[in-house]
Amino acid sequence: MDILFLDGLPPTTGKGDILRLLIEMGDVNQSRIGKIVLQGGMATVEVPDGWGARLVRTLDGIEVATRHIRAWRQIEDNGRRHDHFEQLRRWLTLEAEAERQQQSGTAESEHSLTRLVLRSEDVGLGGRILVRLAPRNEQASLPWTKLTVGSPVILREEGAADAASSSWRGVVSRITSHIIELALNRSPEPEGDAPTFRVDPASDEIARQRMLRALARVEAASGSRLAELRQVLLGEREAEFAPDYALPPLHPLCTALNSSQQEAVRHALAAEDVAVIHGPPGTGKTMTVAALIATAVTQNQHILACAPSNLAVDNLAERLAAAHISIVRLGHPVRILPELQAYTLDALVARHDDYQQAQKLRREAFALRNQAGKQRRARPMPGEKRALRQEADEMLDEARLLESVAVERVLDQASVILSTLTGIDSAILGQRQFDLCVIDEAGQSVEPATWIPLPRARRLVLAGDHQQLPPTIVSAQAEAEGFGVSLLQQVMVRDGAKVARRLDVQYRMHAQIMDFSAAEFYEGTLQADATVQAHLLCDLPGVAQNGLTETAVTFIDTAGASFDELQMDDSASRSNPQEAGLVIAKVQQFLDAGVRPDDVAVITPYAAQVQYLRERLPQAVEVGSVDGFQGREKEAIIISLVRSNPQGNVGFLAETRRMNVALTRARRKLIVIGDSATITAHPFYARMIDYFDTIGAYHSVWEEIA
């Protein structure tokens, strides 16, 4: 039998609905329809041989309950490709299991809130239902919880007989000492008369389902643009570029671009299918990507711009908004920067008359529901409550239709639509196709997420740096097997010389801070712009001139000083209190020299060391993990390497891309503190110390103690 895929189905869709769709719209005899598997808004259906293509033509793009569903069929393909996508699915399963185990290993009290009552219900942006919950005792405070604004959660009615119908997914939109507010997609309808609720953290199952759907669609593609893009990305055919491509008139955003940035824009616009913008630290990658998008807009192209994280998407959105590009930012408002709220789909839709009418209908519907739920002295007429609820449901259906019209109008007017990769929602975007899809920070995305926007794109540009932080993987087994290798890295390793253009001028670091990473990761091709090449801390207003501020790099070797690492009893994390003491002393020297606290940061790869230092340093001095500093910078950075042991075990430090990030965050001053006897067991760190020695940056801890 043929296998038919249906995606973007309404959340209430059942197998019976799919049967009716195939019988009534597809004219298929019910007896010839085979197994139906329905999961997370997508269905796979066995249909008679030869019927797959016909049903795709009939069903792809039809509207069902204000949603445009997508249909495609499975095509038999070569075994190697099937094995590749099957491996990706397996890794997603391993990752989901590891996340569940990680969550179950944390005390429930740190996440969940129980025995809550519903205080109020309202309608927020986009028709989201805002419910406010609190302890039954109005004077009581909420217990401490790790839940924060933006956390995905599940609201459950405690003691409900039907757990499935008495749970609602949402996001924390506000939390105070007494109230937690959740943004839900539908109103909770509890079973009990005086229900209590619990709020539990939710795994990002929606993201996983979207990745699985994308894999199914990409794998099944045949004879389409998607199939061609897949072939290029998997190395089955070569990428093609328009010969002798001349840049169109550049958008004003491009006027500040250097020659390598302009060449990257030209190369990306010349791509017939796939191109890469390779942006080492400080080279203005995001600015170049924004210039690419802005120039494509001047050619009347429609662009889908994505990234793995909300912050990366917001960084790009800010640059485009400042250039007066017409943008729409998809995503939950609580996860988007306040400065960009005016550009969110929710806010733009809220300005439409259709939305205003929809909101009015919703309020009337809730009033009817409340009326139906109230206890009265006089018994209601038979069927009265049911009629009120039915009328309310009809009002809500009409409101959804009106809002759908407003959403369509907003999206149609946008030149650029921005979203996280896993935030791309077929229920919102429908059948929209884009001339160009740009994925920023592509090196930090797992491969399945990178495939999500591809069915909508005619051409693709990947931007990022595979020599910096890889994707974050929870499952040790999946990571060991290769799940942490991004699609960007695969393309660069296999075909980087042809598809990629590297940015070669950096605008962040003193040349001595840059040079080691440039030699190790970028074949020595990076150059420091004249504006930063020799800048030092002592050049800043109010900063004194001394040995600390008049040099760019310092390495302090703690070998032989018994600065031993300590392992926490309940985790694999490590700290080094004596090394931390030296870090604190150096921070104080910066502050004494007149360096502002918010110009100083401390980076360390271990959470235990982060916590130890945060408790002992001024709050204005930022202390964080290496991962948290990707894409960021400070005037002065101190790196605490932590590891000091007789075995020469470097642990996390063995991921040298992580150290590449750490070493390239400082603008004017970099201090690295570590035990050479331990870290030089790894050749990378042996070369690093040799470099520090050649530029006169090497110092022994005994010089500090003396």
Side-chain angles (χ1 to χ4, degrees):
M1 300 186 81
D2 282 357
I3 302 297
L4 178 71
F5 293 89
L6 300 174
D7 192 11
L9 298 168
T12 56
T13 301
K15 293 182 180 179
D17 299 310
I18 294 172
L19 273 175
R20 282 191 294 274
L21 184 69
L22 295 174
I23 295 167
E24 296 172 7
M25 298 291 295
D27 201 26
V28 185
N29 189 304
Q30 180 174 348
S31 64
R32 302 188 66 191
I33 299 173
K35 184 178 180 181
I36 299 175
V37 178
L38 183 61
Q39 188 175 30
M42 185 175 81
T44 57
V45 188
E46 294 179 349
V47 297
D49 287 333
W51 278 72
R54 184 188 314 178
L55 288 169
V56 168
R57 288 194 297 271
T58 302
L59 300 178
D60 190 37
I62 68 167
E63 187 172 330
V64 177
T66 74
R67 294 189 178 209
H68 293 277
I69 70 170
R70 311 190 79 183
W72 69 95
R73 64 191 181 104
Q74 180 172 295
I75 305 295
E76 291 298 324
D77 218 323
N78 67 66
R80 183 177 66 83
R81 184 183 301 149
H82 173 76
D83 290 346
H84 178 81
F85 285 99
E86 190 59 35
Q87 179 70 286
L88 292 175
R89 285 187 281 268
R90 177 175 174 274
W91 286 337
L92 284 173
T93 301
L94 289 172
E95 188 75 352
E97 180 58 34
E99 288 173 355
R100 283 191 291 270
Q101 290 178 0
Q102 187 182 69
Q103 194 173 92
S104 64
T106 305
E108 178 183 271
S109 61
E110 293 185 4
H111 289 295
S112 301
L113 296 172
T114 61
R115 302 179 67 182
L116 302 175
V117 296
L118 184 61
R119 293 290 186 209
S120 65
E121 185 175 333
D122 202 354
V123 181
L125 285 175
R128 290 182 176 86
I129 310 303
L130 302 179
V131 297
R132 297 175 185 89
L133 302 115
R136 188 177 294 278
N137 180 352
E138 294 187 8
Q139 305 303 316
S141 298
L142 290 173
W144 182 84
T145 176
K146 286 186 175 180
L147 294 174
T148 60
V149 171
S151 296
V153 294
I154 298 178
L155 175 67
R156 293 185 172 93
E157 181 184 357
E158 294 179 317
D162 186 351
S165 64
S166 300
S167 63
W168 304 269
R169 280 186 170 267
V171 173
V172 177
S173 53
R174 188 165 68 94
I175 187 166
T176 69
S177 58
H178 291 80
I179 294 282
I180 184 168
E181 180 185 83
L182 309 181
L184 311 176
N185 289 330
R186 60 189 177 97
S187 179
E189 298 180 4
E191 294 179 359
D193 293 331
T196 60
F197 298 89
R198 65 179 292 137
V199 178
D200 296 307
S203 60
D204 201 353
E205 185 62 19
I206 293 174
R208 191 171 78 92
Q209 289 298 331
R210 285 176 180 164
M211 286 188 273
L212 288 171
R213 290 179 212 168
L215 295 180
R217 178 139 202 189
V218 172
E219 183 181 14
S222 176
S224 64
R225 185 62 183 140
L226 176 58
E228 292 171 351
L229 289 174
R230 180 197 62 209
Q231 289 168 349
V232 173
L233 288 167
L234 295 184
E236 296 172 0
R237 75 178 183 90
E238 286 193 0
E240 296 181 4
F241 295 82
D244 303 321
Y245 183 86
L247 269 175
L250 292 176
H251 187 276
L253 195 62
C254 303
T255 56
L257 298 186
N258 63 43
S259 59
S260 70
Q261 292 168 333
Q262 287 200 17
E263 169 58 17
V265 171
R266 187 206 65 80
H267 184 70
L269 290 172
E272 300 286 353
D273 28 49
V274 176
V276 174
I277 296 177
H278 182 193
T283 55
K285 172 184 58 63
T286 301
M287 181 176 71
T288 305
V289 171
L292 162 68
I293 292 171
T295 302
V297 168
T298 65
Q299 297 178 293
N300 296 318
Q301 296 186 33
H302 288 85
I303 294 96
L304 177 61
C306 311
S309 70
N310 279 295
L311 182 59
V313 177
D314 285 348
N315 287 339
L316 188 54
E318 282 187 309
R319 292 182 181 272
L320 294 172
H324 307 293
I325 304 295
S326 173
I327 67 170
V328 175
R329 173 69 163 94
L330 304 185
H332 204 295
V334 301
R335 293 174 172 168
I336 297 170
L337 291 175
E339 299 84 351
L340 291 168
Q341 289 297 316
Y343 301 97
T344 62
L345 178 63
D346 295 48
L348 292 168
V349 167
R351 299 173 194 167
H352 270 263
D353 292 340
D354 289 325
Y355 175 81
Q356 299 296 332
Q357 181 63 24
Q359 192 175 43
K360 180 181 177 182
L361 285 169
R362 283 196 177 92
R363 293 189 185 281
E364 292 175 2
F366 284 126
L368 287 175
R369 279 187 173 182
N370 290 336
Q371 184 180 344
K374 286 180 179 177
Q375 297 292 331
R376 306 179 192 171
R377 290 185 180 180
R379 177 176 295 180
M381 296 292 291
E384 182 180 353
K385 287 189 174 183
R386 182 177 180 181
L388 288 171
R389 289 194 179 100
Q390 183 175 347
E391 185 179 354
D393 288 343
E394 290 172 356
M395 285 183 173
L396 290 173
D397 287 341
E398 186 178 351
R400 278 190 286 269
L401 183 59
L402 284 169
E403 184 174 323
S404 177
V405 171
V407 167
E408 290 294 313
R409 289 176 177 171
V410 167
L411 295 177
D412 286 344
Q413 292 168 3
S415 297
V416 185
I417 294 176
L418 299 108
S419 171
T420 61
L421 290 165
T422 56
I424 295 172
D425 188 351
S426 292
I428 293 174
L429 291 179
Q431 298 293 102
R432 276 178 176 76
Q433 297 291 306
F434 297 87
D435 301 296
L436 177 65
C437 173
V438 179
I439 302 178
D440 198 9
E441 301 295 356
Q444 294 183 55
S445 172
V446 292
E447 183 182 335
T450 309
W451 289 110
I452 292 175
L454 264 292
R456 302 182 176 278
R458 195 180 75 79
R459 294 178 295 121
L460 172 68
V461 173
L462 300 172
D465 182 9
H466 60 294
Q467 300 289 13
Q468 295 189 61
L469 287 177
T472 300
I473 308 298
V474 178
S475 167
Q477 182 177 351
E479 184 168 29
E481 293 178 5
F483 195 33
V485 180
S486 68
L487 194 56
L488 171 70
Q489 182 176 350
Q490 296 173 49
V491 172
M492 286 295 297
V493 169
R494 184 184 62 242
D495 204 21
K498 180 175 183 179
V499 303
R501 291 295 181 269
R502 181 188 291 168
L503 309 182
D504 58 18
V505 179
Q506 64 85 16
Y507 298 86
R508 175 186 300 159
M509 295 163 275
H510 187 287
Q512 288 186 339
I513 298 174
M514 173 198 73
D515 282 344
F516 177 70
S517 285
E520 284 287 319
F521 298 99
Y522 309 109
E523 296 82 46
T525 59
L526 283 189
Q527 306 169 38
D529 186 72
T531 59
V532 302
Q533 187 175 28
H535 67 178
L536 297 164
L537 281 180
C538 61
D539 298 328
L540 293 173
V543 175
Q545 293 184 342
N546 58 39
L548 188 66
T549 65
E550 293 178 317
T551 57
V553 181
T554 300
F555 174 74
I556 303 175
D557 188 358
T558 65
S562 299
F563 282 18
D564 298 328
E565 65 185 64
L566 301 177
Q567 183 169 356
M568 308 301 288
D569 292 337
D570 56 349
S571 74
S573 192
R574 286 167 166 79
S575 65
N576 192 320
Q578 290 169 293
E579 185 173 291
L582 186 53
V583 170
I584 294 166
K586 286 297 170 186
V587 169
Q588 190 58 51
Q589 288 178 26
F590 281 138
L591 303 183
D592 291 343
V595 182
R596 298 190 318 173
D598 58 357
D599 282 337
V600 181
V602 178
I603 301 177
T604 179
Y606 288 94
Q609 188 81 335
V610 169
Q611 182 178 350
Y612 186 92
L613 285 163
R614 279 181 180 167
E615 293 171 352
R616 292 161 175 80
L617 283 170
Q619 191 172 1
V621 175
E622 187 173 356
V623 182
S625 66
V626 179
D627 297 39
F629 267 86
Q630 173 91 10
R632 301 179 56 217
E633 60 186 47
K634 289 281 187 177
E635 298 292 350
I637 293 282
I638 302 174
I639 303 174
S640 171
L641 297 179
V642 176
R643 300 311 298 256
S644 179
N645 56 75
Q647 295 78 27
N649 189 343
V650 298
F652 287 154
L653 301 182
E655 175 50 89
T656 56
R657 289 177 295 180
R658 180 171 277 108
M659 188 50 52
N660 183 32
V661 172
L663 291 170
T664 55
R665 298 307 97 193
R667 287 176 49 78
R668 299 169 187 265
K669 180 68 179 186
L670 171 68
I671 297 178
V672 182
I673 302 176
D675 180 349
S676 65
T678 298
I679 64 174
T680 54
H682 193 292
F684 173 87
Y685 294 97
R687 293 192 298 272
M688 182 183 76
I689 291 177
D690 285 344
Y691 169 73
F692 290 153
D693 194 29
T694 61
I695 63 171
Y698 178 91
H699 299 272
S700 169
V701 69
W702 303 110
E703 298 174 41
E704 302 294 325
I705 296 174

